Amino acid sequence: MGMAEAILLTVATAATPLLIAAIGELVVERSGVLNLGVEGMMLMGAVAGFGAAIMSGSAWIGVFAGLLTGALFSLLFAFLALTLVTNQVATGLALTLLGIGMSGMIGESFVGMPGVKLRVLDLPVISDIPLIGRLLFGQDPFFYISIGLVAGVMWFLFRTRAGLTLRSVGDSHTSAHALGIRVVLIRYCAVMFGGACAGLAGAQLSLVYTTQWIENMTAGRGWIALALVVFASWRPLRVLVGAYLFGAITIMQLHVQAVNMADLVSLPGPLYWLVSVLKSAPSQLLSALPYLATIVVLVIISRNRRLTIMNTPASLGRPFVPDR
Amino acid sequence: MRLELVKRPQQSKLYSALSPFIAFGLTLVAGAFLFAMLGKNPALGLYTYFVEPLTELWSLHELAVKAAPLILIAVGLSVCFVSNNWNIGAEGQFTIGAITGAALPLYFPDAQTIALLPAMLVCGALGGAVYAAIPALLKARFNTNEILTSLMLVYVAQLFLDWLVRGPWRDPAAMSFPQAPAFSSWATLPELFPMSGRANWGIVFALVAALVVWFMLSRTLKGFEIRVIGQSPRAGRFGGFSTARTIVFAFLVSGALAGLAGIAEVSGAIGRLQPQISPGYGFAAIIVAFLGRLNPLGIVAAGFVLALSYLGGEAAQIAVGVTDKTVRAFQGILLFFVLACDTLIHYQIRIVRRAPLSEPASLSTETAHGHG
C-alpha cells in the first residue's frame, strides 16, 4: 500500500464521522429545527456503541446501540423544543452539556479498556486492485453507510414527495400547517433521524477511529459538523466535499509531524516550504488548525449575505405553536 | 393524550418567580432516581450533594471560591443572551483572560508593587474582551454565526494555554510538571478571611459586577436598548438603536467579565498557570445564566446553586462512591428542567384527551368516519 493511498484512507476515516453527523443535522435544519446538541448526541452514541460492543463482543451491536441511543437522546430535545416550544438554541446547548456529562458518567468504567474494532471490508481480488482497490472496496462499513446516507438524503429531499413536504415545513411552518401538514410530527421524525446519525457518527469514533473510550472524545466534531451544514448551504453534496476537506486538514496536521522532509524534495517549492513551516510549528498550533479553519470557512461563506439568506431554511430555529 | 399549549395574554408573574424553584426541585427528584439507579442511597446522595457542603465554615469558603467565576461569567452572559447574542465561548475568554493577566508578573518579575495585582486584573479583563470581540466583529461585519465561532475559539484558547505552560512559560524548577511559576504575593488575589478559609476577593468582584450589570440592564437607556434589540431587532432599528453596536457591546462586557474571572481564578484559587484551569466554568455559567432567568440578581443565587453542585460532586465521590462525572450530568439535567419550566411562564399547558378514545367500542364504525 502506497503512502498516498494510506493517507487518503485515513482522510476518509477522519471525514466519515463529520459527514454522517452533518448529513443528519442537514435534514433536521431543512425541517426548520436547529439542534445544537450534535456534540452531545455523538458522545452518547460513542459511549453506548463502545459499551454495547465490549459487553456483547460484537462491533455491529455497538453500531446499532450508537444509532439507537442517538435517536432516543434526541427525543429529549424534540420534546422540549417542539412540544414545549422552548428556545432551540438553549435547548440544543442543554442537550450537548447533558450528553457530555452523561457520557462521562457512563463511560467512567470504560476508560482504558480495549475496545472492539469494526472490521474493514475485504473482498478477494478487487480489494487488492492497486490505488483504488482499498479506497473503494477495503474500508470500514461506516464509510459505505456515510456515502449511502448522502445519496439517500439527496434522493429523499429532492426526489420524493415526503422530502418536498419536509422542506416546505422548514421554509414556512405556518403555510405548511395551513395545508394540513403535521408540522410537529415531521419535525419529530427529522430530529430523531439527526439524532440517529449523530449517534452513528459517535459510534464510528469509538469503534473505528480510536477503538477506545476517552472522555469528550468527539473534541468539537459535533460543532464542526454543525458548521459544515452552514458551509454547505444546506446541500448534501457540498456537505460531502466539506467533510472531506476537514478530514484532510485533521489528517494533515497528524502526518506533518511524522513526515521526513528528505522524502519531500520532489514537491513543488511553495508546498515544500508550507510543509516545513508546519512541521516546525508547535503541535498545539497544528491541533488548532481544524478549529481555525472552521472559523475561516464560516466567515467566507457568510460574507455573501444574499446567498446565505436565499439558502437558509426560512423557519430555521423559529418557535412554532399550532393554532387550533 | 397530548399536550396543548395555550399562549397566555401576559407573562405569568407567578411562574416567572417559581419556575427556577420547580426546576431545581425536579432536578432533585431526577437526582434521587439517578442515585437509586447507580445502586446508591438516594437520601444520602442528595444530602452529601446539596446539604453537607453548607454545614461547615471552610466549605462555605470553598462555595464562594467556586461561585465567584460562575457568577462573574454568567452575569456577562446575561447581557449577551438578553440581547439575543449567543456567546458560548466564555470558557475561552476565561482562559485568555487568565493568560493575559498572568503575562504581567511573568514578563516583569521585578515589578513587585501594590499596583501589580490591579494591573493584572485589568489586563485579564481586556484580554477576555478582545478575545470576545473576534466573534462579535465577525457577526456584526459578516453576519457569521457567533455560536460556532465563539465555541471554536474555546478549543484554540485551551491549546494556546497548553502550549504556553509546556513551552515558553514553563517553570524550569517544576521538574516534569507542565506549569508556569507560582505567583508572588503581590500578584496573588488576597483571601478575605484567611483565618477561616480560602474565599478571596473574586466573590466580591462577582457581587459588584452583578449589581452594576443589574442596574445597567434595568435602569439605564443602554439596558433598554439591549433588551429591545434582543426582543425585536426591527423595533430597535426604528428606535435608532444600532444592532451591530449592541452585538459588540454585549460581547465586550461578557468577554471582560469572563476574562476577569479567569485571572481572578488563577491568581486567587490556583496560584499559577497550568494546563487545566477550569472545571468547565464557562459552560456551567450558561446554566447559571438561565437558572437565574437572565437577571443578574437571580444569577447570584443561581451561581451558588451550581457552585454547590461542584462541591457536592467532590464530596459525593468520597462519601457515596459515585464518580465526580455525575456533576456535569446533574448540571445538564438542571438546565433541561429550567428550560422546560420556562414554558409555563408564556403558556398554559393543557392535557387533551383524543375524542375517539373516550367513546364506547360499539361505535367504532361511526368514529372511523367521524374522526378519521
Side-chain angles (χ1 to χ4, degrees):
Chain A
M1 191 156 55
M3 174 88 175
E5 200 185 346
I7 290 181
L8 281 177
L9 273 177
T10 47
V11 167
T13 313
T16 299
L18 295 175
L19 180 55
I20 297 178
I23 203 80
E25 179 67 14
L26 182 138
V27 172
V28 179
E29 293 191 13
R30 278 281 188 172
S31 82
V33 181
L34 179 65
N35 184 357
L36 293 181
V38 182
E39 180 90 355
M41 299 187 293
M42 277 178 84
L43 278 167
M44 289 301 284
V47 76
F50 185 87
I54 53 170
M55 279 176 213
S56 66
S58 154
W60 276 106
I61 292 189
V63 174
F64 286 111
L67 185 139
L68 207 66
T69 308
L72 287 178
F73 197 55
S74 72
L75 267 182
L76 263 179
F77 170 86
F79 179 70
L80 257 76
L82 303 177
T83 300
L84 295 181
V85 206
T86 55
N87 182 304
Q88 291 182 11
V89 173
T91 312
L93 275 175
L95 196 71
T96 285
L97 292 175
L98 184 64
I100 293 173
M102 295 265 281
S103 64
M105 197 178 81
I106 298 167
E108 174 89 293
S109 53
F110 300 152
V111 174
M113 282 172 85
V116 183
K117 193 173 173 72
L118 194 61
R119 291 244 294 279
V120 298
L121 193 68
D122 193 12
L123 299 172
V125 191
I126 43 173
S127 291
D128 298 326
I129 301 170
L131 264 177
I132 57 157
R134 285 263 143 226
L135 282 179
L136 293 182
F137 307 108
Q139 299 212 40
D140 64 272
F142 281 103
F143 169 78
Y144 305 102
I145 294 173
S146 72
I147 303 297
L149 271 173
V150 174
V153 164
M154 279 173 72
W155 171 78
F156 172 78
L157 281 180
F158 303 109
R159 291 281 178 278
T160 68
R161 194 177 175 82
L164 181 67
T165 311
L166 182 132
R167 285 188 288 136
S168 75
V169 167
D171 273 329
S172 171
H173 46 217
T174 19
S175 316
H177 177 66
L179 288 171
I181 295 170
R182 300 188 63 182
V183 173
V184 175
L185 181 72
I186 286 173
R187 287 184 168 171
Y188 258 91
C189 295
V191 167
M192 280 184 78
F193 175 77
C197 284
L200 202 60
Q204 195 266 7
L205 291 174
S206 63
L207 295 172
V208 172
Y209 195 77
T210 49
T211 53
Q212 49 182 326
W213 164 255
I214 308 161
E215 202 192 350
N216 255 326
M217 67 189 297
T218 47
R221 285 189 182 83
W223 295 102
I224 294 182
L226 277 160
L228 277 177
V229 179
V230 181
F231 164 76
S233 42
W234 293 270
R235 298 193 181 246
L237 260 189
R238 293 187 198 168
V239 169
L240 181 85
V241 175
Y244 274 77
L245 196 74
F246 273 89
I249 294 172
T250 313
I251 291 309
M252 188 190 71
Q253 48 112 350
L254 290 176
H255 275 271
V256 153
Q257 285 167 343
V259 85
N260 185 358
M261 289 313 288
D263 296 343
L264 298 177
V265 280
S266 57
L267 280 180
L271 204 59
Y272 181 86
W273 176 80
L274 182 72
V275 175
S276 66
V277 166
L278 285 176
K279 198 173 158 56
S280 60
S283 68
Q284 289 92 345
L285 178 63
L286 294 176
S287 304
L289 278 181
Y291 309 117
L292 291 170
T294 307
I295 297 174
V296 171
V297 155
L298 282 173
V299 171
I300 294 172
I301 286 297
S302 54
R303 272 182 64 193
N304 194 336
R305 198 174 290 225
R306 257 189 57 221
L307 203 73
T308 319
I309 290 172
M310 251 171 54
N311 285 312
T312 315
S315 294
L316 185 61
R318 302 247 168 93
F320 172 71
V321 184
D323 53 336
R324 286 171 225 274
Chain B
M1 201 178 88
R2 65 193 154 84
L3 297 176
E4 200 175 277
L5 300 187
V6 182
K7 183 122 187 141
R8 295 180 195 273
Q10 280 167 328
Q11 289 193 11
S12 158
K13 284 227 174 68
L14 177 69
Y15 282 113
S16 291
L18 275 187
S19 79
F21 294 97
I22 302 175
F24 186 63
L26 289 171
T27 308
L28 291 184
V29 174
F33 272 105
L34 196 69
F35 280 123
M37 261 166 50
L38 293 169
K40 312 289 176 191
N41 179 350
L44 176 68
L46 290 182
Y47 176 81
T48 328
Y49 243 89
F50 294 107
V51 183
E52 206 190 354
L54 299 175
T55 54
E56 283 185 72
L57 189 57
W58 68 266
S59 66
L60 287 176
H61 275 268
E62 292 302 311
L63 191 69
V65 169
K66 295 242 175 347
L70 288 170
I71 296 172
L72 268 175
I73 301 171
V75 162
L77 289 182
S78 73
V79 179
C80 274
F81 294 168
V82 165
S83 64
N84 211 7
N85 286 300
W86 294 96
N87 176 12
I88 58 171
E91 184 88 359
Q93 293 138 25
F94 177 94
T95 308
I96 294 295
I99 292 171
T100 51
L104 277 186
L106 284 166
Y107 282 118
F108 304 101
D110 302 329
Q112 299 298 335
T113 64
I114 194 148
L116 177 60
L117 185 65
M120 282 166 67
L121 296 173
V122 170
C123 277
L126 280 178
V130 168
Y131 206 56
I134 302 172
L137 291 175
L138 291 180
K139 181 181 181 184
R141 177 79 183 78
F142 301 120
N143 204 24
T144 311
N145 185 321
E146 80 277 21
I147 302 171
L148 296 169
T149 50
S150 65
L151 188 96
M152 290 295 138
L153 288 170
V154 173
Y155 293 99
V156 176
Q158 284 171 342
L159 287 163
F160 183 54
L161 172 66
D162 194 74
W163 173 69
L164 282 175
V165 294
R166 287 175 203 278
W169 287 6
R170 182 180 186 151
D171 182 6
M175 309 301 284
S176 56
F177 286 109
Q179 57 185 26
F183 292 121
S184 67
S185 59
W186 285 117
T188 302
L189 197 62
E191 288 169 356
L192 287 171
F193 310 104
M195 299 300 282
S196 57
R198 289 204 314 144
N200 59 40
W201 277 84
I203 189 68
V204 178
F205 300 156
L207 297 177
V208 171
L211 273 178
V212 170
V213 172
W214 170 78
F215 184 81
M216 190 266 291
L217 278 180
S218 60
R219 297 285 185 276
T220 65
L221 181 63
K222 192 75 197 168
F224 179 69
E225 181 180 333
I226 287 168
R227 280 180 290 133
V228 171
I229 294 267
Q231 277 171 17
S232 166
R234 213 169 123 81
R237 275 199 299 279
F238 287 138
F241 301 143
S242 152
T243 321
R245 238 190 9 242
T246 307
I247 295 170
V248 175
F249 177 80
F251 267 88
L252 286 182
V253 169
S254 80
L257 289 176
L260 179 64
I263 183 60
E265 180 72 8
V266 289
S267 132
I270 302 178
R272 57 155 54 88
L273 274 183
Q274 54 190 37
Q276 286 291 332
I277 56 169
S278 155
Y281 285 141
F283 297 109
I286 298 173
I287 305 173
V288 172
F290 280 106
L291 182 62
R293 305 223 59 250
L294 303 186
N295 176 333
L297 301 183
I299 284 170
V300 172
F304 280 102
V305 170
L306 267 275
L308 190 58
S309 77
Y310 274 114
L311 278 190
E314 288 169 10
Q317 209 176 349
I318 305 157
V320 193
V322 293
T323 145
D324 59 339
K325 308 286 189 301
T326 45
V327 178
R328 289 211 167 182
F330 256 134
Q331 294 174 345
I333 293 171
L334 177 61
L335 181 53
F336 259 100
F337 282 127
V338 168
L339 294 172
C341 290
D342 275 3
T343 303
L344 290 169
I345 299 169
H346 301 282
Y347 301 97
Q348 264 182 312
I349 298 180
R350 283 202 313 222
I351 297 171
V352 188
R353 291 219 172 77
R354 285 224 177 121
L357 292 176
S358 58
E359 286 179 17
S362 60
L363 294 173
S364 59
T365 46
E366 281 168 55
T367 49
H369 291 291
H371 297 276

